[in-house]
Amino acid sequence: MRTYTLLIVDDQADAAEQLRSGIEGISPGVFDIAVMNAVQAIQQIYEKSYDAYFLDIEMPSCSGFQLASRIKERDKDALIIFQTTHEDYSVWGYDYAVFRFISKYKMMQMLPGAIQALKEELARRNVFMEAYNSEKKAVQLAVNAIHCAYMEHGMLTLVTEGGTFTARCGIHELMSAYPMIPFASPQKGYIVNLEWIGYLDYESNMIYMKQGGCVKISRRKRMEFYQRYSEGY
């Protein structure tokens, strides 16, 4: 079993230790947990990255919001979970693309679900497949990084933020091999990763991807695609 690194940042040492104990009790041996206050975190945040972060929002030296901004500067896809006694702050979390929000008043009720979701997301991010780059050299590609894929000249073309790759498999093989990745087919011979969709235009039946580009949802695929999309992605 892989161990993931996790950083807890809270200026209240007792609260941080309670959170650490809660996480270890829910998922023993899964996380290698470090605990810091805000000052320590600011000093080290650019030196080391973690698989996930638990940040207290209300800290006098540096708020969790400020710390989240610095973390996102280094890693825009960082998994951040905010915790606070002020539940109305939860709406602000969307500005920082946080993974979850936990009320300190409901810590023990909310923590198990947050940890389970975190483990599932980390598992998705750590699934790799063999692909070929533009120089036709074999590389290990994170499957979750695939924005979309389509068949071309008998090869599967994989589009990612880091470039385009190819694989020696078909679309159905890819979807069957990695069911934990939310792929869906908007038209024949084409799939998109639902996590990379930025916007759906239901009037024109057009998909706009987060990193640019768009694809039409065919008439034949509409019912199937929208059903898949409505499942929670």
Side-chain angles (χ1 to χ4, degrees), residues 55-216:
L55 308 180
D56 184 27
I57 292 179
E58 305 94 27
M59 295 183 289
S61 55
C62 175
S63 74
F65 293 135
Q66 293 172 310
L67 195 54
S69 293
R70 299 192 183 197
I71 293 170
K72 289 288 186 176
E73 286 176 7
R74 173 174 177 160
D75 179 7
K76 65 181 179 62
D77 297 319
L79 292 170
I80 295 175
I81 297 177
F82 277 146
Q83 48 176 334
T84 181
T85 56
H86 295 283
E87 297 184 6
D88 55 326
Y89 281 168
S90 61
V91 295
W92 292 12
Y94 293 104
D95 295 336
Y96 302 88
V98 297
F99 183 67
R100 285 289 187 279
F101 172 91
I102 294 179
S103 167
K104 285 191 172 182
Y105 294 127
K106 304 173 184 176
M107 179 68 71
M108 291 303 104
Q109 296 99 309
M110 299 179 72
L111 190 58
I115 293 299
Q116 180 60 33
L118 180 59
K119 289 193 296 183
E120 291 174 359
E121 177 61 23
L122 287 169
R124 280 196 293 269
R125 292 189 177 198
N126 287 276
V127 175
F128 294 83
M129 65 177 289
E130 184 177 86
Y132 298 87
N133 61 21
S134 59
E135 299 176 349
K136 298 184 179 180
K137 293 183 178 179
V139 297
Q140 289 297 306
L141 181 67
V143 182
N144 195 52
I146 299 171
H147 297 184
C148 60
Y150 53 90
M151 295 302 299
E152 187 175 47
H153 306 306
M155 295 282 286
L156 185 62
T157 297
L158 311 169
V159 180
T160 75
E161 188 174 3
T164 300
F165 301 81
T166 57
R168 293 176 179 149
C169 66
I171 284 178
H172 293 297
E173 291 175 86
L174 179 67
M175 296 177 72
S176 297
Y178 305 102
M180 73 291 293
I181 308 299
F183 289 123
S185 177
Q187 57 181 256
K188 184 178 180 181
Y190 201 107
I191 58 173
V192 297
N193 186 337
L194 299 179
E195 293 183 344
W196 289 100
I197 291 178
Y199 172 68
L200 276 182
D201 187 331
Y202 290 94
E203 291 188 6
S204 63
N205 294 294
M206 190 71 73
I207 302 168
Y208 294 90
M209 305 301 288
K210 289 180 180 178
Q211 303 301 323
C214 59
V215 58
K216 183 78 172 180

Side-chain angles (χ1 to χ4, degrees), residues 12-23:
Q12 298 180 3
D14 290 346
E17 287 303 323
Q18 182 180 15
L19 177 57
R20 183 216 288 264
S21 178
I23 294 171

Side-chain angles (χ1 to χ4, degrees), residues 10-40:
D10 196 323
D11 280 354
Q12 298 180 3
D14 290 346
E17 287 303 323
Q18 182 180 15
L19 177 57
R20 183 216 288 264
S21 178
I23 294 171
E24 291 178 340
I26 293 168
S27 294
V30 174
F31 297 100
D32 180 8
I33 304 174
V35 176
M36 300 180 189
N37 58 38
V39 173
Q40 293 170 326

